Amino acid sequence: MPNINETLRAIRDDFRRISNLKLILDRFNIDLSFSYLNLDLKCPILIAPGPLTQSLSRIKKAADAGYGGVVLKSVVGEDQHGNASMKMLRKRSTFARWVYDDEGNPIFHWNGGLDLRDLREYLKFAREVFRFGRERDFPVIPSFLCHLPKSLDEEWRVEEWEYTTRMLVESASIYYGDLPVIMEIDFCPFLKRERLAVDREVVLRWYREAPKLVKEASSNVKVVPKLLNLDFGLDFQMEMIRAARNGGADGIVIANRFFRKYTAKDTGETYFTAHGGMELRLINQRQIREARRITDMPISATGGTYSGRHIIEYLNLGAQNVQVLTYVMKRGFKEAFEDLIFNPKDGFIKLILEGEIG
């Protein structure tokens, strides 16, 4: 009788030929289907918003490789006249480099921001990828950010949230039909760079009121804010989750990268950057564990995922699915997926067969 590793190699080779996850169900009786709120995923691994989800060609590669879906590179919202109060986040990167955490995992540092396109150009792209998603039964989730008040007294520029929500829902309905459109609100780490995410009460206001603005703009949406990783402690992270829940959020993404001063180990160079890796994974896992004590909202996990073991750790803590980006950027779509799923040491299937998923 062949051992598990021999069988894994055989099914991996078959998968390389026909790219069909049904092989795993047929061979091992393992169903890889998971969900993102009301969306069915063929596997629990999505590509997180970033450079790999800002073109149709790359999204096609993600689908061909076997991922469960993608979250689009986040767009800066506008009102109907093209005004965008958060346009400072359309920042082109002037440096990009790889560093490594204490486990030897790659971390990508850069100083850019959200998608560079204006909303009109972005919507052309969005319609293309939603149409592709419909054709391939491949979930495509939009992500965006509009005006954020800088104080408790400042009024929301509601027209930005209303117009952007309506335009994205209209584009996404090509894929979703009558299903509610899932939309992530990307409270991105660069808000800290712009000195916006500094007042605790103001940040809580964002999480409490932004989901309401999205739902008031369309009756056919489900709202999933992405949690900022701030430096105010675990209790405050839970306060943000409570605020989002009280504001009508349907789920939460835990959680975005830190924005911190980083000192390069080899050169001593110091700079500010969004930072992830092992430290982010451990903190996010702790947050998910604590979040499960206070809410049953669906959680999409992200951060520091480099192996099937990391995916199972997140799922066992109560996440619905896991978003990955950096590892795929470093390894490539197919190579990363095969390693996450088929690795004979800590791949997803091997660990399920060993009973390590709850």
Side-chain angles (χ1 to χ4, degrees):
M1 293 288 292
N3 62 31
I4 290 177
N5 288 346
E6 289 173 348
T7 306
L8 279 172
R9 283 194 293 271
I11 195 173
R12 181 202 61 196
D13 292 342
D14 288 342
F15 179 79
R16 286 175 175 173
R17 288 188 295 103
I18 64 174
S19 296
N20 191 337
L21 290 173
K22 189 174 181 293
L23 287 167
I24 299 170
L25 178 62
D26 293 343
R27 198 77 63 90
F28 291 123
N29 197 31
I30 295 174
D31 186 0
L32 289 184
S33 59
F34 282 73
S35 63
Y36 189 129
L37 274 63
N38 58 285
L39 285 181
D40 294 329
L41 308 178
K42 294 177 182 177
C43 87
I45 312 170
L46 300 100
I47 303 294
L52 300 185
T53 63
Q54 62 182 357
S55 71
L56 178 58
S57 61
R58 288 183 170 180
I59 290 169
K60 287 180 177 179
K61 289 181 179 180
D64 290 341
Y67 294 93
V70 297
V71 184
L72 298 183
K73 173 81 169 177
S74 305
V75 65
V76 174
E78 301 175 4
D79 66 17
Q80 61 182 336
H81 304 295
N83 299 311
S85 60
M86 304 299 289
K87 63 184 178 181
M88 82 287 288
L89 294 177
R90 291 176 185 156
K91 181 176 180 180
R92 191 178 301 276
S93 178
T94 58
F95 84 89
R97 64 196 64 178
W98 290 99
V99 300
Y100 295 86
D101 65 20
D102 292 340
E103 293 177 330
N105 300 312
I107 305 171
F108 186 65
H109 283 177
W110 70 311
N111 65 345
L114 304 187
D115 199 279
L116 298 175
R117 290 169 285 198
D118 62 27
L119 185 60
R120 182 178 178 182
E121 286 299 312
Y122 187 90
L123 289 172
K124 293 178 183 177
F125 153 72
R127 284 188 285 270
E128 288 182 340
V129 297
F130 286 129
R131 187 174 294 110
F132 169 77
R134 179 187 62 184
E135 294 168 353
R136 289 287 298 271
D137 191 23
F138 185 68
V140 175
I141 299 163
S143 177
F144 73 115
L145 186 66
C146 299
H147 169 254
L148 297 174
K150 300 178 180 64
S151 70
L152 293 177
D153 298 325
E154 181 181 347
E155 295 291 330
W156 289 88
R157 298 187 187 179
V158 176
E159 59 277 8
E160 291 186 13
W161 289 93
E162 289 180 342
Y163 184 73
T164 304
T165 297
R166 289 201 305 268
M167 292 300 99
L168 286 171
V169 169
E170 181 181 300
S171 300
S173 63
I174 296 171
Y175 170 73
Y176 290 92
D178 294 332
L179 288 174
V181 178
I182 296 173
M183 306 180 74
E184 289 191 4
I185 302 177
D186 190 357
F187 292 103
C188 74
F190 297 118
L191 291 172
K192 192 172 178 183
R193 177 187 66 194
E194 303 298 331
R195 298 192 60 77
L196 293 175
V198 293
D199 185 289
R200 300 185 191 199
E201 293 305 316
V202 171
V203 170
L204 292 177
R205 181 189 180 195
W206 296 347
Y207 281 91
R208 187 171 56 249
E209 298 181 15
K212 293 180 182 179
L213 294 177
V214 176
K215 290 194 165 186
E216 287 170 357
S218 174
S219 61
N220 198 37
V221 295
K222 289 187 178 292
V223 186
V224 184
K226 179 173 277 190
L227 203 66
L228 280 161
N229 256 313
L230 299 176
D231 298 318
F232 301 141
L234 180 62
D235 288 346
F236 184 77
Q237 297 296 118
M238 296 305 106
E239 286 188 54
M240 285 192 284
I241 293 175
R242 290 188 184 95
R245 179 192 61 198
N246 293 340
D250 298 285
I252 196 83
V253 181
I254 299 178
N256 233 318
R257 294 172 295 166
F258 316 111
F259 185 79
R260 292 179 176 173
K261 182 183 289 186
Y262 180 82
T263 301
K265 297 176 182 178
D266 51 349
T267 65
E269 178 187 7
T270 298
Y271 54 89
F272 284 93
T273 185
H275 183 73
M278 176 186 69
E279 181 185 8
L280 178 62
R281 181 178 72 253
L282 295 177
I283 287 178
N284 285 356
Q285 289 177 350
R286 184 183 178 200
Q287 291 185 73
I288 292 172
R289 187 180 297 110
E290 191 65 22
R292 276 289 159 255
R293 301 178 192 274
I294 65 170
T295 182
D296 59 359
M297 276 200 308
I299 293 171
S300 183
T302 188
T305 301
Y306 302 98
S307 72
R309 182 174 299 281
H310 297 156
I311 293 167
I312 283 183
E313 288 171 354
Y314 274 130
L315 295 176
N316 281 344
L317 288 169
Q320 260 196 332
N321 54 71
V322 181
Q323 300 185 27
V324 300
L325 182 64
T326 301
Y327 192 54
V328 184
M329 290 173 63
K330 189 66 172 175
R331 292 289 303 274
F333 287 102
K334 289 187 177 181
E335 293 82 358
F337 185 80
E338 287 184 7
D339 189 58
L340 293 169
I341 296 293
F342 297 111
N343 188 289
K345 179 181 178 182
D346 56 10
F348 192 74
I349 297 174
K350 174 71 176 293
L351 297 177
I352 288 178
L353 291 171
E354 293 177 346
E356 294 202 26
I357 191 166

